[in-house]
Amino acid sequence: MAFPQGFVWGAAAASYQIEGAAFEDGKGPSVWDRFSHRRGKVFSGHTGDVACDHYHRYREDVALMKMIGLQAYRLSISWPRVLPEGVGRVNAPGLDFYDRLIDELLSAGITPYVTLFHWDYPDALYCRGGWLNSESPDWFAEYTSVVTRRLGDRVRYWMTLNEPAVFVVIGHMDGRHAPGDTLAFDQILRISHHALLAHGKAVQIIRATVPDAQVGAAIVGKVGIPASDAEADVEAARQYTFNFRRHDLWHHNWWSDPMLRGEYPADALTLFGDAMPAIGPHDMQIIHQPLDFYGMNVYNGEYVRQGADGMPEVLPLPMGFPITAFYWPVTPEALYWGPRFMWERYGLPIVITENGLANTDWISLDGKVHDPQRIDFTRRYLLQLRRAAADGVALHGYFHWSIMDNFEWAEGMKQRFGLVYVDYQTQQRTPKDSAYWYRDVIASNGATLDQPPAL
Ligand code: IFM
């Protein structure tokens, strides 16, 4: 059985994680350039200064994408590479890089899907208050306009923000990601509101500058997986996914209800009370812009049943449950229930903007990289996604995270997520077994998922 006709097969990466050239060709510093150089912030002092050197090796990387048969590639733009001070002066060599990359992709027959913000925020703007500053949505709108006016004649698919829950909370409240702040919850809600306004303004700019644009965002959040087929457990998993019981923003609908319904979830507003920032009379209208697809990053979920008190209850994982090198549980059903719940709630075609496995891959004595776990992980998840399509969920496409090993934020180069192995000393690329396996999956539009892979 194949995926629906027209389903898009891709892979993804992000600017700071692969580009390198962190201080070249007029690029301004980002908060990640600063943070990764602070002692003790990133595993073993790793930085993205060079990363995969994609800035210089993008032609080789696009050739690898073509070899794998990717139909689409999700990339992100480094804001300070394009606008070193975040606003104002445009850095021509920075913009030229993306111009060349897009042309290279198109000439390889690969459709670019561009994310405007995947966390490398201009340090110059951070020094002006960053996302706390009420001007920050306008800064993002200005940046968006510079990018879309240059690339919009060739790029049709756009995403505004990647995983706002992560850069807002892990970056500004937990301090484990750049910029490394530990702000109070009311400040976090203010940042979150500004990020949503930035999204809305950016969508308006994209619509005004790109003919026939297809626009979304890439959201991450809890996914409840019903512990059984019983309707009570399905409902408990749905409630767990969408209902607010604690002061956390790790719910899809914290971001997507304002974007797609023009309102914050009512239970969250009650719970957060006075911590909420003042909301301007037109704010929700600005945030609530029509979108074309629902982008979601899915790595795992939690098994939920209806508890004795009628409330959702998360089941503890049994001892020895499969986990990735990141210690994330392997829960393939998340790629069934996540898309299904979002489709039910928002009615937009789903794009899996990220999904993949962190592993401890290395080059074997035979010179190849054998990664049977990645193949098995991806096969299990994709079979669940295909089940969602069979059950009527409209699916647009799937982007594997990641095309190549890269700088995994606070984990540095410790976690390898790539279909292509990168030797960070030599910058040599080696497609892993999973790259060849994924090539066959793409070529068959998913039909080969039924065949046990030759391991
Ligand atoms: O590498 C990250 C990516 O930047 C955002 N989503 C999750 C991935 C794996 O942690």
Side-chain angles (χ1 to χ4, degrees), residues 143-209:
Y143 156 63
T144 299
S145 147
V146 170
V147 174
T148 57
R149 279 189 285 111
R150 180 68 178 270
L151 304 179
D153 57 338
R154 285 152 293 153
V155 176
R156 186 172 175 225
Y157 296 93
W158 295 89
M159 279 143 288
T160 54
L161 308 176
N162 181 71
E163 295 183 355
V166 175
F167 75 81
V168 171
V169 177
I170 302 184
H172 294 83
M173 192 164 93
D174 300 348
R176 286 185 287 122
H177 278 190
D181 289 339
T182 49
L183 301 175
F185 195 62
D186 60 336
Q187 303 282 70
I188 293 303
L189 293 176
R190 188 175 157 84
I191 287 179
S192 139
H193 191 62
H194 290 159
L196 283 165
L197 281 166
H199 159 86
K201 289 187 179 218
V203 177
Q204 289 175 328
I205 303 274
I206 298 168
R207 298 266 182 235
T209 49

Side-chain angles (χ1 to χ4, degrees), residues 223 225 303 330-339 380-381 384 387:
V223 173
I225 302 170
Y303 296 102
V330 179
T331 56
E333 305 92 330
L335 215 49
Y336 175 83
W337 289 102
R380 286 173 188 268
Y381 275 70
Q384 292 291 332
R387 179 161 80 95

Side-chain angles (χ1 to χ4, degrees), residues 199-201 203-204 258-260 285-291:
H199 159 86
K201 289 187 179 218
V203 177
Q204 289 175 328
M259 289 177 181
L260 292 162
Q285 213 181 322
I286 292 169
I287 296 168
H288 183 200
Q289 299 295 318
L291 297 180

Side-chain angles (χ1 to χ4, degrees), residues 181-434:
D181 289 339
T182 49
L183 301 175
F185 195 62
D186 60 336
Q187 303 282 70
I188 293 303
L189 293 176
R190 188 175 157 84
I191 287 179
S192 139
H193 191 62
H194 290 159
L196 283 165
L197 281 166
H199 159 86
K201 289 187 179 218
V203 177
Q204 289 175 328
I205 303 274
I206 298 168
R207 298 266 182 235
T209 49
V210 182
D212 200 21
Q214 297 285 295
V215 192
I219 309 293
V220 75
K222 286 181 210 285
V223 173
I225 302 170
S228 79
D229 289 342
E231 189 41 49
D233 287 344
V234 173
E235 184 49 31
R238 193 181 283 113
Q239 283 182 21
Y240 180 73
T241 304
F242 294 119
N243 291 2
F244 286 73
R245 296 172 72 186
R246 290 185 305 156
H247 282 62
D248 85 57
L249 305 184
W250 200 252
H251 287 274
H252 274 262
N253 48 322
W254 175 254
W255 312 97
S256 312
D257 277 10
M259 289 177 181
L260 292 162
R261 294 177 159 186
E263 59 192 17
Y264 280 107
D267 56 348
L269 291 183
T270 308
L271 191 65
F272 300 164
D274 290 348
M276 279 299 288
I279 295 176
H282 305 296
D283 286 5
M284 298 316 289
Q285 213 181 322
I286 292 169
I287 296 168
H288 183 200
Q289 299 295 318
L291 297 180
D292 302 292
F293 59 86
Y294 192 90
M296 57 188 307
N297 296 354
V298 184
Y299 290 87
N300 50 59
E302 288 161 281
Y303 296 102
V304 179
R305 71 172 174 211
Q306 189 184 56
D309 60 356
M311 301 301 284
E313 181 181 273
V314 176
L315 299 186
L317 295 174
M319 262 195 282
F321 193 86
I323 51 171
T324 74
F326 227 139
Y327 303 145
W328 294 349
V330 179
T331 56
E333 305 92 330
L335 215 49
Y336 175 83
W337 289 102
R340 183 168 157 170
F341 286 153
M342 299 311 144
W343 166 247
E344 277 175 11
R345 191 172 179 100
Y346 301 114
L348 283 177
I350 306 290
V351 180
I352 303 303
T353 34
E354 287 181 26
N355 166 250
L357 171 81
N359 209 1
T360 52
D361 309 307
W362 65 82
I363 301 187
S364 293
L365 282 174
D366 63 5
K368 299 179 180 164
V369 181
H370 303 296
D371 57 344
Q373 278 94 348
R374 181 166 291 101
I375 294 174
D376 189 63
F377 174 101
T378 311
R379 182 169 176 237
R380 286 173 188 268
Y381 275 70
L382 282 173
L383 283 168
Q384 292 291 332
L385 187 63
R386 200 175 69 180
R387 179 161 80 95
D391 285 356
V393 175
L395 295 178
H396 173 103
Y398 169 88
F399 289 82
H400 192 80
W401 184 271
S402 168
I403 181 61
M404 64 184 103
D405 295 336
N406 59 55
F407 176 83
E408 178 51 39
W409 308 113
E411 306 297 320
M413 271 60 179
K414 178 161 51 123
Q415 313 290 359
R416 291 184 179 269
F417 271 96
L419 294 166
V420 173
Y421 180 92
V422 177
D423 178 327
Y424 298 111
Q425 269 63 56
T426 62
Q427 289 298 343
Q428 192 181 331
R429 275 79 163 131
T430 307
K432 303 179 189 175
D433 288 355
S434 58

